[in-house]
Each structure stands twice: as C-alpha cells, then as structure tokens.
Amino acid sequence: MRKVTVTLLIMASFAMGGCYEDTDITLHDPGVYRGTTDPLLAKQANPEQQAKLAARFLEGQSDR
Amino acid sequence: MARMKFLCDAERCIECNGCVTACKNEHEVPWGVNRRRVVTLDDGVPGEKSISVACMHCSDAPCAAVCPVDCFYTTDDGIVLHDKDLCIGCGYCFYACPFGAPQYPQKEAFGVRGKMDKCTFCAGGPEEDGSQAEFEKYGRNRISEGKLPLCAEMCSTKALLGGDGDMVADIYRERVLKRSSRPQTWGWGVAYKADS
Amino acid sequence: MKLTKKRDLSPDGTTVPLKGILGSAIDRRTFLRRTSLAVGGGAVAGALQPVMMRRAEAAAGAAGGETEIRKSVCTHCSVGCGVVAEVQNGVWTGQEPDFDSPFNLGGHCAKGASVREHGHGERRLKHPMKLSGGKWKQVSWDEAINEIGDKVLDIRKRSGPDSVYWLGSAKFNNEQAYLFRKFAGLWGTNNVDHQARICHSTTVAGVANTWGYGAMTNSYNDMHNSKAMFFIGSNAAEAHPVAMQHILKGKENGAKMIVVDPRFTRTAAHADQFMRIRPGTDVPLIWGMLYHIFENGWEDKEYIRQRVFGLDEIRKEVAKWTPDEVERVSGVPGDQVKLAAQTMAENRPGTIVWCMGGTQHTIGNNNTRAYCVLQLALGNVGVSGGGANIFRGHDNVQGATDLGILSHTLPGYYGLAEGSWAHWARVWGVDFDWLKGRFDTGYMDTKTGDEDGAMGIPFANPMNSAGIPVSRWIDGVLEDSRNIDQRDNLKAMFFWGHAPNSQTRGPEMKKALETLELVVVVDPYPTHTAVMPDRQEGMYLLPAATQFETYGSVTASNRSFQWRDKLIEPLFEALPDHTIMYKMAKKLGFADELFKNIQVNSADEPLIEDILREINRGMWTIGYTGQSPERLKLQLLNKHTFNTTTLLAEGGPCDGEYYGLPWPCWGTPEMKHPGTPILYDTSKSVADGGLNFRARFGVEFEGKNLLAEDSYSVGAEIQDGYPEFSADMLKQLGWWKDLTAEEKAAAEGKNWKTDLSGGIQRVAIAHGCAPFGNAKARAIVWTFPDRVPIHREPLYTSRRDLVEKYPTYEDRKSHYRLPTRYASIQAQDKTSEYPLILTSGRLVEYEGGGDETRSNPWLAELQQEMFAEIHPGDANDTGIRDGDWIWLEGAEGAKVKVRAQITERVGRGVVFMPFHFAGWYEGKDLLDKYPEGAAPYVRGEAANQAFTYGYDSVTQMQETKCTLCKISAA
C-alpha cells in the first residue's frame, strides 16, 4: 500500500512539473557569429553608401 | 544610421507576383524555393487583401537567436544575412521564424533539407561582393552596387517598398494622408469601428 | 544548443532568480512553448511538392566583360512597360527596373519581371522541324522554306491563293505587322488575320462606328485624373497589372471605382462598388444605368446637343429597361444599378474600361456601342480623366490592328475597296493591275452554286471582300466548299505567332488540323498546334526570334509608340519574323515587289527603319505618319523628361511632345506634330494634340445634321462642324494657295487620306481644323444589324424564359465568306443536360495561348495545374471537393479534365476557366508529341476546347464569355 502511495506521489509530482508557468520575461542573447566576414558590413557602415541607397530609393520608389 | 525594412502596402497589392518573379530572376532561385511569397487573405470574397512577405530582417531576429551553429549576422543597417557554409540545414530557424522566410531547396524526394536559403535583401552573403561565388550561393548583391532589392524596385503598383525604414514610412504616411478622405486603409474599420 | 539565458526580468523590469522545477538552463520545452511555429509559408509548401522538378540551371553570368545597358519594351501586354537589360558578352545577365519610363516607372508584373528568361530559352523551339512519319525531324532553314514554298505554290495552282491562310500575330512589332499584311496582299488573298479578331474586334467596330476611331481614347496615366472609374468585363489586376498603378493612384486621388463582373475578381477587391452580372447581359445593365440618368436629367444636355447624334432613339430603348427588367435579365439588384448610375453622374469626368468580358459575345458590337453611348450621355468623351479606356491585350495588338493584319481591311483601316488598294499600290510602288492579277477573281465565273449547297447569293470578289477570320478558320477547312465564298477550302495554314487554343470548338479544330494538307508554325515555341492533331506529315515548325532578339517600334494601348533596341542575338537557329518573311517571299516569287523600297542586308534581314518610313508614307488615316524612327529613338533616350500624368515632355530634347507621339500624329515627321494624347479633346488646338469627333458617316442622315454644332477644337477657323478635308474643299475655303507647289501636285484630286505629300493635313491643321472633319458622334449605327444596341440572349443561354423576348439573330448564309448560324443553335434547349454557365478569363502569371509563359520556370511554378473555379453550392450539388479532378463537358460534348477549385469568387451557377493552358487533350498529356526539349514545363487542358459556336454579328468575334457546361467527378 505504501509503495503504491509513494509511486503515485512521484508520478503526481512529475505530472505537476508540467503545470509550471513562468510569467517572467526572459531575454535570450544569441551566440556570436562564427562564419566568414562579409565585406558588405564595412561598406554599409559608410555614410556615402547610405546616401547612395537613399537616393536610389527616391529615384525608384517614391510616388512620382 | 538607416534601418532597412520592407513594407507592403496592402491597399495597393494586387497579387501580381511581380516581386516573387523579380527575386527568382535576379538570383536564379531554383524551382521549389520562394524567397518571397504573396499571401492573400479572404481570397475571392469582399475584403480580399494581399500582402507580399519575405524575410522581414527583424531587429531581434529569432532565426539568429536559435541557430545552433550561429551562422547569422546583421549589418549595421539591419539586414539579416547568414553563412551557408556553416549552415547544417537543421530547420530551427524555420521553426523560429514567424514568416516562414527560411527555405530549403529540395535535394531528394523525401524532403531532405539542403542549406537554408532566404531573402537577403539583395545583399548577398559573406563572400566577396559581386563575385561568382557569392552569386552562386546567395544570389546577386545589389546593395553593394548602391541598388535596392529588386522585388521592391519592380513592384507593379509600388505596393512593396524596400529601403530605409524612415523613408519607407514617409511614403506610406503620404499615401495614408492622401487616402484619408476614404477610410479604407486596412484595419481602419477595426480600429475606429467605422461603417464600411 | 548555443542559446544561453542571460537574465530573467520580472514584470517591473528587475531581475529575479530563475524559477523552475527542472533546473537553471533554458530547456527545450520552455523554448517551444514560447515560440510560435511558422505559419503557412515557403519551406513546408516546398517540401510538399508532389512533382519532382529538376533544378533549373542558373545561367552563370559571364564573368567579366563590359556590362552594356540596352532598353526594350515588355512583350506581354499593351501597357508597354519599359525593360532595361544588362548584357555582357552578348548574354543577357541582368534585368533592371526602367524607372524612367512614364508607363511603369520601373514596375513589372510577374511576366514583365521574368522576361530575362527569354535569354535562357531552355524550352524554346531551337531548330526548324519537320513532321515525318509522326516524329519530329530537324531540318535546315533552306530545306524547310523550299519544301513549304513548293507545297504552297502547288496548292495555289490547284485551289487558288485563297486556300492558303496567313494567320499573323499581335506580337509582331509594327514593321513586321505591316510587312505581313503587305505580304498577304501581294500573295493575293485576304485570308489574313490575327488575335485582335478574337480580342477587341467588336470594340474597334463598335467604337469606330460611333465616333471615328476605335482605339483607347485617353491613356492609363490619364486615369490619375478620373473622378469615377467604371470597369465592365475587365480584370485589370490580372490582365493589366501595371495599369493598376495608375488606377490606384486615381483612386487615391479620390476616384470612385465600380467593377462589374460575373466573378469577384482581384480588381473587384479594390473597388468601391461591385456588381455581379450574369454573363452576356451587359446591354441591360448599361441601359439600366442610363434609365436612371435620363430619368433624373443627369445627362449632359449641352454636350449632347453639340456633339451627339441619335440619342433620342436610344432613349426609347432605354425606357424599356426598368429596374425590375434589368434585375430579371442581368441579376443585378436595382439599388446597385441606381447607385452606380448616380456615382457616374455625380463624379465626372468618369472613365469606362472594358475588355474581353464585354467584347467576346455574339452581340459584342452592341455592348461596345452601349458603353460609348453611356459616356456620350454623360459628356465624358474628349476630356482628361474621362473617355473610353479600352485596355488592349497583347503588346502590339494595337499596332497589328492599325497596320491591318485583318481579313476585312488594309493597313490604316482603309478597307478593301478598289480605291484603297489603289492607294496602297501607289505607296508600295507596285502596278495596280499586277496586284489585281494576284487575286483569284476568276473563281467567280467558274464556281457554280449547287442545288444542295447553293449560297443563293452572288459570289464575292476575293480582292474586295473580307476574308475568313481567325475565329472561323476551322470552318474554312471543314465546311462544304460549295458553301464558302471562295474557290475552295483552306488547304494550308500558317500559324505565324498565333496559338490555336485561343479559338473555340476543340474537337472540330483537331479534325481541321488533321485535314489541312500543310500546317506551318512560325513561333519561338511549338504551341498547341504542334501537338494537338494526330498527323504523320505535312507539318513544319520554324523557330522565330522574340522581340528581344530584334528591334523596331511597338504601339501601346494608349496609341503611343515605343522603340525597342535589340538586346541579344537570336537564340539557337531562330530568325526574326521579317527575315523569315523575306525568305518566304523570295521562294514564292514576290520578294522584289515586297521589298521594293526596303533595303535587305546580306543576312536576308530587311531594314526596319525603311519599313517604318514606308508606313509613315502611307498611313494617313490614323496619323501613323509623324512617328519617324529618328523621333522615336530620341524619345527612347529621354523617357525621364515626360510628365507621368500628362505624358508631355517639359523641356529637354523632346520638349512639347507627348510620350510615344500617340496617333494621330498628323502630317509628315518634318511637321513635328506632338501626337494626340487624348482623343476628341476640343480644349486644345489640333496642332497641340487636340481633336474632335470624326466626320465619317456623311454630313446628314434622315434629314438631320450629322456635323458638330457650336463645338470645335481651340483655334479652329471654322467655328462649327465641317466635313472631312479634300483638295476640292481646300479650294472652296480658299486655302489651296497655302500648299507648296510639290504638295499641290500630289494633292490634286485627293483627300486627307490619299494625299501622299501630307499637304492637305498640314494646311487644315495650320488653320486649326481637324483633317478628318468635325462631326457628332452617333449613338445609332444604321449599317449594323442592330441600329440601336439591344440585348440578345447568348446562343447557349441558361435562361430559356428570355429567349422569346430577346432572341438572337437569324442564321446568315454568308458572312466573312462562311455560313454563320444563330437562331438554329439557340433553338436547342441544352439547359437540362448542361445546367451551368461557363466563362473564361485570364491569370496574371500567363499570357495568351500560354506556351511562352508556361515555358518560363519562374512563372510556371506559380500556376502548375489547369483548373476550374466552381462555387461551393455547385460543387456540393455534384459531389465535388476542392482539388478533385473533374471532367468539364461543354454544351457540344467536348470534354476537358481539370482540377476543381472551390471558391466563392464565382457566383452560383457559373464556372470559370483560365484559357492559357495547352498541351493536353481530353485528359491525356501530350508531352511526347512535343519536339525534344521544347515542351512547356506546365501543360494542361485548353479551356477553349469546351467552348462552343457563336460569333459576333459584325466582326465574327467568338462568344467565349458565356456558354453552358456540366461538371462531374473524374
């Protein structure tokens, strides 16, 4: 009888494990990139390149 | 610093698939992989709306967060790219992405995944800009040439806009103001409970 | 897993220690609980592809090499989107948006965005092929031309020149189109036609007979200025996607959008008002709207007094169309019709747009005239933002129509009368009697009527009578030869840039293709013609080059010309159409006459610029005279200087010109007319692009004045109506002295259409007058079967209760050389066996017969199976579920096997099929019958196979928008 009760209690506690709900916000920081460097990164940081792209946007996508 | 974004103006999208095809054309994307798709809601009934969806280049990209081999990186202006040489085709980024952007070219009949492929904002990948290697793996790199994604540049009705988020917002804001005499901007009825 | 949890935040933002039963590291279950699984989207669908497709090989961009930029125009529809190509080492490696083009501003639909695939051409027809023993054998060009030529000349000797049918193309450029019509004329037959017949022929006939020209009056760009836009039978979102850019801009400028269609189309999804109409009931709906307009006095009375003739007869007919009757016949509720009428009346200028939904009927000419009358009543014609904006189909169907690839006219709509032939003989520099001798006029004396098959009417002169139209070519082959108005049946047929699956009556077509002695396909792709018939010999496939592999001019729907540069050399063994025409003409013995004033280089290629100059010298009727190669090339270089709404160049090298020099571009190129952007617009002088309605139908009718009253274009020295200009009229007005000596010599005894110097036109315009006169538009056409447009039920109608009140025409013994049935077909009640209405239409991914677009993997992937749209109610009634294979049987027993797409887009009782598929026959995939490597990626049943008999009473347009069918699970 005792064994049954203990077994049932253990099973119940495992089942209860699934009832857990964490209401706190968790932030995940992704891992650091491990691939080869893209030459584009340096280019995009260049303000001249950004200006070029902005001009291109106005040329083609404004409601002219 | 600009933040590169796409916006599809659902009031103008007519589901012409011009964006889908422009992308296929520019990057020679194989059959079965669609970096960009048009999603239509309420097809065939009043209220039908279409919107073109590809990678949204999220600021906090879930694909990058879950990748077990960390093959993702983001440019300063927000373009999310990845390294296919590192990719193991596990599919977790597909799990994570709310938009279904990651695609896997089908290698065999039983759906064994190849390397993940997705919209690159026409910015290629971690190879020499404009090189043959970059073209074969990631498609064209228009950004490095000072051009913007071809899908947005070729949209038949200028519904799809792609560029600096501020500039995109300016265009869209102008349109909303112009349309203000007719409250048919998507969601207006829900937000303001206007009679249609 | 690389993901490490760095910190935990409580709702107020402070960090708290991690809680959890199972430990500190984030576990898979929690991650999954917090993540939303991707919805819909690509990878899953990609993995579920049932069809294994081999990976389309990437065209490796030629490494290195200068990148040249070349410009062309998309070949898929009449919007005329600019295409910019990056070419390296002769390989088309990139496609860029043409931001400078005022038509598309860089935009493309799926088809336009895919045109670079023409440079890959994997499934192109690569070599001349000959059918031998039921198999395709590769032959050389010389062999093919020789054998075809011999056979054709033999048929000419046995049966006469009218036994050879020259079916041309809306995808020719202007120069090729003109050359083709001239070719048929010098061969000696009027059995020449092209896609316009089955597309907008009723438009051209109805509209031209209303106010003078049968073309789009305004432009796509001009729709920015509309206050109301009425679409009837037009699905612009799928058929003219880039036009939607302008339409939606107009909508954003405040225009109200009304769409009338049997389906809730993608265009209707953007509309303010949608009216679901029973297919074939356009006239009741339009008259129903006019009922309210007249009842409330909303018509523009002053405009009508000045510029419209015969509206009172229309009023009488309209009075019969009460709201109840309109609803009974068309199914549209009365309040919707009234709202539409009110919207059009209160929001002017309004424009009307129609396409195949309105034109493809036995009463197509009634429909198109009704649309015009509506606009005339509202005073909407000849104003910016108004007009009849007819969206044409293929990229150069406007040009091909204008240049006369039609069985009932010559280039420029001159008609087939003796005077017209004389005019063109002069332009071509050929002897008129020689030309006359090319025709088989002798047959009229030798052919006898027989007791059983007598036509009972005199036989028609083959030179001056309309030839067989493309919609009826199968009857030209199969009909008893005693009943045809020419010596013999058709024995040979050239499908030159025209697919067969856009014509109806599939089983009979198959038989006709098997009966012909010779079938020649000239096309970049094999087309359905190559595989449909079961033949062993007598068929040739000649590879034509696409428009990207040659150069020339093309006319968009708004009448604007654009110049195309050559992007790449023809692929494989393909040749440009005009080169093939030279080779053919040389073999058939009239190359010298055909190319009298046209240079031909050592590669047998005629000079395009010379052909355009010849066109400029002859096409006075519609003003194809001012658009010289030089002016067009200059505009190509300066597209960005044109305003995107008015199409006017403001400054720059083309200052003052309209984009494309829209015809009529009057006079010689030296006169530098700017083109006419909006037809019949009296607010500008004719010299600046203004115009008025044409005086084409006489000066009076039944005692009433046909000329305009108190309405004239700005600056006109005759401030009233006036007839068309002739030499005599100039003399009467005292303006003859304004002609130069040279012009006087040429213009003596001629009129504005036949004066080759252009002097009459120049002087008329100098005095502010339109060369073609100034008259009223007429709401009634007394030369048509129905003087006033009325409603007639379709031949295969679902409403037997309406047949008595609205019957179709009587059978005709001979129309366009063939007996044509109407009443005898409508008398049969097919509704018990075929209870559903069948209609057809377009998809955005494909164009026309579809072989070209279905051979493009980027497009083919988007629409992989032929289907029919079925309403859930009808599907449930027949036990069909979404995605099932079904047999769809047309009212004459033709069957097609398609997928069922259950959708509420179609109304209950209506079934829709797209017509672009081909390559199957009655459920069998004909893949094996294509030449090796030239089958499209996607094949399917041809919808028109199931469609039935039914032809317009004026133009023989086929009735492909309303017939009957039944469906059953396969």
Side-chain angles (χ1 to χ4, degrees):
Chain A
M1 189 56 205
R2 211 184 123 77
K3 268 206 177 121
V4 173
T5 319
V6 169
T7 317
L8 281 171
L9 271 171
I10 293 171
M11 280 170 64
S13 58
F14 269 107
M16 292 276 286
C19 303
Y20 167 68
E21 191 188 334
D22 185 0
T23 51
D24 294 331
I25 305 158
T26 306
L27 295 176
H28 304 289
D29 295 326
V32 178
Y33 174 61
R34 290 192 280 183
T36 38
T37 320
D38 187 351
L40 188 67
L41 288 170
K43 202 165 191 180
Q44 290 305 92
N46 180 350
E48 259 179 51
Q49 165 74 346
Q50 290 296 325
K52 208 170 161 194
L53 290 170
R56 174 86 180 185
F57 181 86
L58 289 172
E59 184 194 354
Q61 297 185 53
S62 57
D63 283 328
R64 133 171 121 91
Chain B
M1 174 51 95
R3 174 129 216 117
M4 292 300 180
K5 286 286 162 199
F6 282 119
L7 172 73
C8 182
D9 184 348
E11 285 302 310
R12 285 222 191 164
C13 183
I14 55 171
E15 206 188 337
C16 76
N17 281 312
C19 50
V20 173
T21 316
C23 174
K24 287 268 206 197
N25 180 342
E26 185 73 342
H27 309 293
E28 297 273 0
V29 181
W31 188 293
V33 176
N34 282 294
R35 292 184 172 185
R36 181 169 280 286
R37 279 196 179 243
V38 178
V39 175
T40 302
L41 307 177
D42 289 329
D43 189 78
V45 295
E48 175 182 322
K49 279 281 184 289
S50 296
I51 194 164
S52 171
V53 181
C55 172
M56 298 302 277
H57 298 278
C58 305
S59 305
D60 182 10
C63 55
V66 305
C67 176
V69 295
D70 293 317
C71 74
F72 289 88
Y73 61 101
T74 309
T75 66
D76 283 349
D77 50 0
I79 301 171
V80 177
L81 300 167
H82 73 295
D83 185 338
K84 281 193 182 181
D85 291 327
L86 274 187
C87 174
I88 59 171
C90 69
Y92 259 30
C93 52
F94 167 63
Y95 249 9
C97 176
F99 306 102
Q103 305 268 315
Y104 302 88
Q106 193 170 346
K107 295 268 187 209
E108 284 160 29
F110 291 93
V112 172
R113 282 187 295 267
K115 303 277 182 179
M116 187 281 273
D117 182 75
K118 75 166 185 71
C119 156
T120 59
F121 208 81
C122 288
E127 294 281 347
E128 195 60 44
D129 287 342
S131 65
Q132 187 64 13
E134 188 186 40
F135 178 65
E136 280 172 13
K137 284 188 198 166
Y138 306 103
R140 278 249 148 63
N141 189 338
R142 296 175 65 79
I143 295 286
S144 68
E145 293 172 37
K147 299 175 184 169
L148 288 165
L150 196 61
C151 52
E153 296 198 323
M154 275 195 182
C155 173
S156 62
T157 53
K158 306 286 170 205
L160 182 63
L161 303 166
D164 174 16
D166 281 335
M167 299 178 79
V168 167
D170 279 341
I171 303 281
Y172 190 65
R173 196 175 302 119
E174 262 178 54
R175 290 186 190 171
V176 169
L177 285 172
K178 214 171 190 194
R179 290 172 190 153
S180 65
S181 62
R182 46 190 314 131
Q184 283 149 5
T185 308
W186 199 18
W188 188 284
V190 174
Y192 299 103
K193 302 231 186 302
D195 293 322
S196 78
Chain C
M1 189 73 164
K2 193 56 192 168
L3 206 60
T4 52
K5 181 188 255 189
K6 286 295 169 73
R7 60 219 144 113
D8 226 358
L9 284 185
S10 70
D12 65 356
T14 56
T15 53
V16 295
L18 197 57
K19 281 198 269 208
I21 294 182
L22 293 178
S24 56
I26 194 68
D27 61 299
R28 183 188 293 239
R29 186 177 59 211
T30 324
F31 160 66
L32 284 176
R33 205 193 307 129
R34 306 251 176 104
T35 305
S36 52
L37 293 170
V39 181
V44 175
L48 291 177
Q49 288 297 339
V51 179
M52 275 308 298
M53 296 303 307
R54 67 172 173 81
R55 181 195 164 109
E57 291 305 319
E66 269 296 300
T67 303
E68 255 188 85
I69 302 288
R70 297 197 188 153
K71 300 199 179 177
S72 181
V73 175
C74 181
T75 58
H76 286 296
C77 90
S78 70
V79 174
C81 299
V83 166
V84 172
E86 288 177 333
V87 181
Q88 287 176 305
N89 289 339
V91 178
W92 191 351
T93 50
Q95 202 180 328
E96 286 297 316
D98 188 0
F99 293 137
D100 291 340
S101 167
F103 286 160
N104 64 324
L105 289 97
H108 280 300
C109 70
K111 302 183 292 295
S114 72
V115 291
R116 187 171 72 89
E117 201 277 339
H118 285 100
H120 293 3
E122 285 194 27
R123 297 296 175 98
R124 285 271 292 267
L125 185 59
K126 302 174 179 65
H127 312 281
M129 306 293 277
K130 169 182 170 174
L131 190 64
S132 181
K135 297 260 174 278
W136 292 109
K137 210 179 82 170
Q138 184 178 332
V139 293
S140 72
W141 269 104
D142 286 334
E143 239 182 288
I145 298 282
N146 271 328
E147 287 179 23
I148 293 169
D150 286 338
K151 184 78 191 187
V152 160
L153 287 168
D154 178 53
I155 288 171
R156 186 190 176 104
K157 218 186 318 177
R158 284 188 278 121
S159 304
D162 289 304
S163 286
V164 180
Y165 200 96
W166 302 95
L167 180 56
S169 183
K171 298 192 72 156
F172 286 148
N173 59 32
N174 286 333
E175 293 76 21
Q176 292 164 344
Y178 170 80
L179 200 60
F180 195 79
R181 185 60 183 93
K182 191 176 169 187
F183 183 106
L186 297 186
W187 165 257
T189 185
N190 289 330
N191 282 337
V192 58
D193 214 18
H194 79 293
Q195 284 91 340
R197 178 74 51 193
I198 50 177
C199 159
H200 266 294
S201 62
T202 46
T203 296
V204 177
V207 179
N209 275 286
T210 299
W211 53 51
Y213 286 148
M216 184 178 194
T217 60
N218 296 44
S219 66
Y220 297 111
N221 300 63
D222 183 64
M223 293 179 79
H224 302 168
N225 296 321
S226 300
K227 290 278 161 282
M229 301 185 285
F230 186 85
F231 294 82
I232 180 160
S234 158
N235 185 7
E238 294 209 62
H240 301 91
V242 178
M244 288 298 284
Q245 192 186 132
H246 302 294
I247 291 164
L248 293 174
K249 278 203 183 130
K251 194 177 162 201
E252 283 163 18
N253 285 336
K256 302 278 183 284
M257 202 169 145
I258 307 169
V259 168
V260 179
D261 203 289
R263 297 162 72 219
F264 187 79
T265 56
R266 291 182 189 174
T267 315
H270 286 270
D272 294 305
Q273 296 171 29
F274 169 66
M275 292 189 271
R276 198 186 286 278
I277 191 178
R278 174 166 71 94
T281 57
D282 298 65
V283 170
L285 182 78
I286 300 291
W287 283 174
M289 285 173 66
L290 264 177
Y291 178 93
H292 294 289
I293 290 171
F294 286 143
E295 175 125 322
N296 291 292
W298 291 333
E299 72 271 28
D300 188 333
K301 301 182 180 67
E302 185 61 8
Y303 184 95
I304 293 167
R305 180 189 75 81
Q306 292 179 341
R307 302 182 74 179
V308 183
F309 181 91
L311 204 63
D312 291 327
E313 284 187 49
I314 303 288
R315 283 180 202 267
K316 283 207 210 83
E317 177 65 28
V318 165
K320 301 178 196 163
W321 288 99
T322 61
D324 284 336
E325 185 65 359
V326 172
E327 183 164 356
R328 185 174 84 102
V329 174
S330 73
V332 183
D335 54 337
Q336 287 181 15
V337 178
K338 178 148 192 216
L339 180 63
Q342 193 163 6
T343 308
M344 289 295 285
E346 289 174 0
N347 295 283
R348 290 183 244 195
T351 184
I352 189 170
V353 176
W354 75 83
C355 291
M356 315 296 82
T359 62
Q360 290 181 338
H361 298 275
T362 46
I363 52 163
N365 67 89
N366 285 357
N367 292 346
T368 56
R369 285 188 291 142
Y371 307 144
C372 291
V373 168
L374 175 65
Q375 287 293 74
L376 286 171
L378 292 171
N380 272 335
V381 187
V383 291
S384 172
N389 279 326
I390 305 145
F391 290 2
R392 302 295 303 254
H394 285 300
D395 59 317
N396 201 23
V397 67
Q398 183 65 51
T401 310
D402 295 333
L403 290 153
I405 306 182
L406 294 163
S407 66
H408 64 281
T409 187
L410 283 164
Y413 309 101
Y414 278 86
L416 295 171
E418 182 133 330
S420 311
W421 282 105
H423 168 75
W424 282 107
R426 268 198 309 146
V427 176
W428 296 342
V430 299
D431 178 55
F432 179 66
D433 287 317
W434 173 85
L435 187 57
K436 218 165 159 181
R438 299 289 295 166
F439 283 80
D440 189 17
T441 38
Y443 98 95
M444 295 187 291
D445 302 317
T446 55
K447 184 166 182 174
T448 50
D450 188 81
E451 300 301 339
D452 298 321
M455 296 288 274
I457 52 174
F459 287 122
N461 182 325
M463 192 179 186
N464 307 118
S465 70
I468 295 170
V470 58
S471 45
R472 304 293 306 278
W473 70 263
I474 51 181
D475 292 322
V477 179
L478 298 175
E479 180 69 50
D480 187 330
S481 75
R482 294 172 300 187
N483 291 337
I484 310 180
D485 240 350
Q486 57 182 46
R487 183 185 293 264
D488 203 351
N489 290 88
L490 298 177
K491 305 273 186 208
M493 182 133 178
F494 282 75
F495 286 84
W496 204 311
H498 202 304
N501 55 315
S502 46
Q503 300 109 63
T504 54
R505 299 155 62 194
E508 290 166 274
M509 183 186 291
K510 183 166 186 286
K511 186 144 165 264
L513 282 172
E514 288 159 2
T515 309
L516 283 161
E517 288 180 29
L518 175 68
V519 178
V520 180
V521 176
V522 185
D523 204 288
Y525 297 89
T527 75
H528 197 47
T529 315
V531 300
M532 193 185 187
D534 293 319
R535 289 182 72 109
Q536 296 295 309
E537 346 267 336
M539 190 140 64
Y540 292 82
L541 308 178
L542 302 179
T546 65
Q547 294 301 330
F548 300 112
E549 296 152 70
T550 184
Y551 70 103
S553 68
V554 57
T555 308
S557 187
N558 73 313
R559 299 163 284 108
S560 280
F561 281 56
Q562 296 190 91
W563 191 260
R564 282 192 180 116
D565 273 337
K566 183 172 174 176
L567 302 184
I568 49 175
E569 289 298 317
L571 296 186
F572 311 108
E573 278 197 80
L575 289 174
D577 291 293
H578 45 296
T579 303
I580 303 173
M581 285 181 220
Y582 173 77
K583 288 185 188 286
M584 205 72 232
K586 190 149 147 244
K587 173 68 189 177
L588 298 176
F590 53 86
D592 291 335
E593 287 82 4
L594 187 57
F595 297 100
K596 186 143 187 201
N597 297 313
I598 300 164
Q599 264 184 73
V600 181
N601 70 13
S602 54
D604 286 350
E605 190 184 335
L607 187 62
I608 291 282
E609 283 86 345
D610 276 352
I611 303 177
L612 182 54
R613 275 184 244 287
E614 189 171 298
I615 294 172
N616 290 151
R617 282 200 302 275
M619 299 267 286
W620 297 97
T621 41
I622 50 177
Y624 254 59
T625 48
Q627 301 96 336
S628 64
E630 290 72 35
R631 290 182 87 191
L632 295 179
K633 287 178 189 175
L634 186 63
Q635 289 208 347
L636 175 62
L637 295 171
N638 294 287
K639 284 193 195 186
H640 58 287
T641 59
F642 293 88
N643 179 294
T644 53
T645 298
T646 62
L647 295 180
L648 181 65
E650 297 153 331
C654 303
D655 185 32
E657 286 178 2
Y658 288 96
Y659 184 66
L661 301 172
W663 66 258
C665 182
W666 302 106
T668 58
E670 289 72 37
M671 204 174 106
K672 286 205 178 288
H673 187 268
T676 309
I678 297 172
L679 290 176
Y680 322 119
D681 180 5
T682 51
S683 73
K684 297 204 278 284
S685 73
V686 179
D688 290 334
L691 209 56
N692 44 242
F693 292 133
R694 181 174 167 181
R696 195 171 178 176
F697 318 113
V699 295
E700 70 154 31
F701 181 70
E702 288 176 355
K704 288 182 262 194
N705 181 15
L706 265 174
L707 297 177
E709 291 176 29
D710 303 323
S711 164
Y712 45 90
S713 52
V714 161
E717 288 180 18
I718 305 176
Q719 301 195 334
D720 202 15
Y722 46 88
E724 47 184 341
F725 275 80
S726 63
D728 289 336
M729 187 165 150
L730 280 186
K731 287 178 186 158
Q732 280 171 18
L733 289 164
W735 296 348
W736 181 255
K737 56 181 166 53
D738 295 346
L739 292 166
T740 67
E742 264 173 23
E743 285 172 341
K744 278 186 189 157
E748 185 60 53
K750 300 269 185 293
N751 61 37
W752 66 282
K753 295 178 281 193
T754 47
D755 162 27
L756 294 186
S757 71
I760 296 178
Q761 290 194 0
R762 186 183 66 76
V763 168
I765 292 172
H767 288 270
C769 292
F772 63 20
N774 179 13
K776 295 193 176 113
R778 55 177 187 173
I780 52 172
V781 179
W782 44 87
T783 46
F784 277 12
D786 293 324
R787 173 159 152 157
V788 171
I790 59 171
H791 173 62
R792 290 179 187 273
E793 281 291 309
L795 287 200
Y796 292 86
T797 176
S798 57
R799 295 288 300 274
R800 302 306 303 179
D801 59 314
L802 296 174
V803 169
E804 197 187 324
K805 192 169 178 195
Y806 302 111
T808 187
Y809 305 95
E810 289 305 311
D811 286 3
R812 289 169 77 155
K813 278 231 172 79
S814 176
H815 190 217
Y816 284 80
R817 301 193 184 177
L818 291 163
T820 308
R821 300 169 61 197
Y822 292 92
S824 61
I825 292 184
Q826 196 179 62
Q828 300 163 40
D829 181 355
K830 299 263 183 181
T831 52
S832 53
E833 219 199 319
Y834 301 101
L836 299 170
I837 299 174
L838 179 63
T839 188
S840 62
R842 292 189 133 93
L843 299 173
V844 70
E845 291 84 4
Y846 294 144
E847 167 65 8
D851 255 47
E852 180 180 24
T853 42
R854 282 179 289 104
S855 297
N856 184 332
W858 303 327
L859 296 173
E861 189 181 352
L862 295 168
Q863 289 283 5
Q864 295 185 25
E865 285 184 316
M866 172 57 178
F867 62 94
E869 285 182 356
I870 301 167
H871 190 272
D874 299 317
N876 289 333
D877 284 345
T878 35
I880 290 169
R881 294 200 181 201
D882 192 41
D884 282 354
W885 283 108
I886 59 164
W887 282 108
L888 187 148
E889 188 175 319
E892 289 298 337
K895 298 193 317 188
V896 291
K897 189 178 182 194
V898 302
R899 285 269 191 213
Q901 186 181 103
I902 313 299
T903 170
E904 283 182 48
R905 202 183 274 288
V906 281
R908 184 85 190 264
V910 175
V911 174
F912 167 87
M913 287 201 290
F915 80 99
H916 309 290
F917 291 79
W920 276 33
Y921 189 78
E922 288 187 346
K924 183 161 172 286
D925 186 342
L926 305 172
L927 176 58
D928 298 328
K929 296 178 77 179
Y930 283 92
E932 184 83 35
Y937 289 102
V938 168
R939 298 167 302 282
E941 292 275 20
N944 280 322
Q945 200 171 295
F947 277 83
T948 49
Y949 200 98
Y951 302 101
D952 178 79
S953 56
V954 170
T955 68
Q956 293 273 332
M957 161 76 80
Q958 58 197 21
E959 186 158 68
T960 27
K961 286 296 179 261
C962 45
T963 184
L964 298 173
C965 72
K966 72 173 176 194
I967 52 177
S968 55

